[in-house]
Amino acid sequence: SLGVLGLGSMAHPKHSDSVILGISESGTGLPDRDYYLLPEHSHIRDRYLIFISRMLQLAGYSAQQADAAAKKVTALETVLAKATMTKEKQRDPLNVTNMTTFHGLSGMSDLDGCVLDWRTLLSAHELDGHQLQEINVTNPSYLAVVAQLVCGPERDLHTLKVHADFHLLNLLAQCLPKAFQDEKFEMIKLLSGAKEQLPRWKRALRVVD
């Protein structure tokens, strides 16, 4: 998912032969919430800021625009990271199993009267909410934070759009000119310790597979 919510199909937690809609946390580019919050990862956060700026510059942003946008994107992702569930809590299936209905989504995402427009959101994914008998939300409290970011009094639609721009570039980097691929690999190298990038033909095969 490119936005601040992840929507996808999943096996029913209690009936494995059934497939339902799952709504999960999304929108952060670093592997885990700790990368945004712990001091020992500050060097990675600094490099991530540079990575965002460079990707946006490759897409046509000026250096000044890209630097400013990168700071706003990382600030947004830090808010999202704080709202995400820790890895320890995620290991307990009961913590990530929160069944609801289409009408129940509004109650989960209601914070001070600010509610997400689920009908429009699901329609954009070609889903009819009234036909979804059961939905699993991995982290209900996360929905309320997203609601504030999207429709609260301090919402910043420009930052949300720039955030989407960056994550689209990041997702499609392997299909874009070499400069995008090289820039992304530098970030991957820092996070994973990879020594060199696979030849382009091997990466192309992975995309096809």
Side-chain angles (χ1 to χ4, degrees):
S1 178
L2 285 175
V4 292
L5 284 176
L7 278 73
S9 59
M10 63 172 290
H12 194 293
K14 297 181 179 179
H15 308 289
S16 58
D17 57 338
S18 298
V19 177
I20 60 173
L21 173 66
I23 300 177
S24 60
E25 305 160 346
S26 186
T28 53
L30 294 176
D32 182 74
R33 72 193 302 273
D34 288 349
Y35 285 87
Y36 292 91
L37 306 178
L38 299 183
E40 57 262 39
H41 295 308
S42 61
H43 67 292
I44 292 178
R45 291 194 293 273
D46 292 342
R47 183 61 184 83
Y48 185 55
L49 192 70
I50 295 171
F51 172 56
I52 297 172
S53 177
R54 288 180 178 173
M55 290 291 277
L56 292 175
Q57 288 181 58
L58 288 171
Y61 284 62
S62 70
Q64 184 177 5
Q65 289 173 331
D67 287 345
K71 291 177 181 177
K72 289 188 174 183
V73 169
T74 52
L76 169 63
E77 292 190 12
T78 300
V79 172
L80 296 174
K82 289 178 179 178
T84 58
M85 199 177 293
T86 64
K87 289 183 293 186
E88 291 74 21
K89 288 186 176 181
Q90 290 178 38
R91 294 192 185 106
D92 186 342
L94 293 178
N95 289 333
V96 294
T97 302
N98 302 281
M99 304 300 296
T100 188
T101 63
F102 171 68
H103 295 292
L105 286 174
S106 295
M108 282 187 172
S109 62
D110 186 350
L111 184 64
D112 298 329
C114 180
V115 183
L116 291 173
D117 183 354
W118 287 105
R119 188 183 307 278
T120 300
L121 179 60
L122 293 177
S123 295
H125 289 79
E126 299 183 351
L127 295 170
D128 182 347
H130 295 291
Q131 295 179 354
L132 300 171
Q133 296 180 354
E134 290 187 286
I135 301 168
N136 184 54
V137 178
T138 57
N139 185 357
S141 63
Y142 181 83
L143 296 190
V145 173
V146 169
Q148 281 295 305
L149 290 172
V150 173
C151 59
E154 297 183 5
R155 68 176 179 175
D156 184 345
L157 293 181
H158 174 71
T159 296
L160 290 169
K161 291 176 181 178
V162 173
H163 175 266
D165 283 349
F166 162 67
H167 281 281
L168 182 61
L169 294 168
N170 192 31
L171 177 67
L172 299 179
Q174 296 301 326
C175 303
L176 297 173
K178 185 174 182 298
F180 288 92
Q181 299 169 36
D182 292 345
E183 196 59 57
K184 180 169 183 175
F185 181 71
E186 288 302 311
M187 194 69 214
I188 292 174
K189 185 163 63 174
L190 175 63
L191 292 170
S192 69
K195 300 299 181 183
E196 61 182 24
Q197 193 167 196
L198 289 173
R200 183 157 188 164
W201 68 269
K202 287 188 176 181
R203 285 180 276 134
L205 286 177
R206 286 189 173 184
V207 172
V208 174
D209 290 341

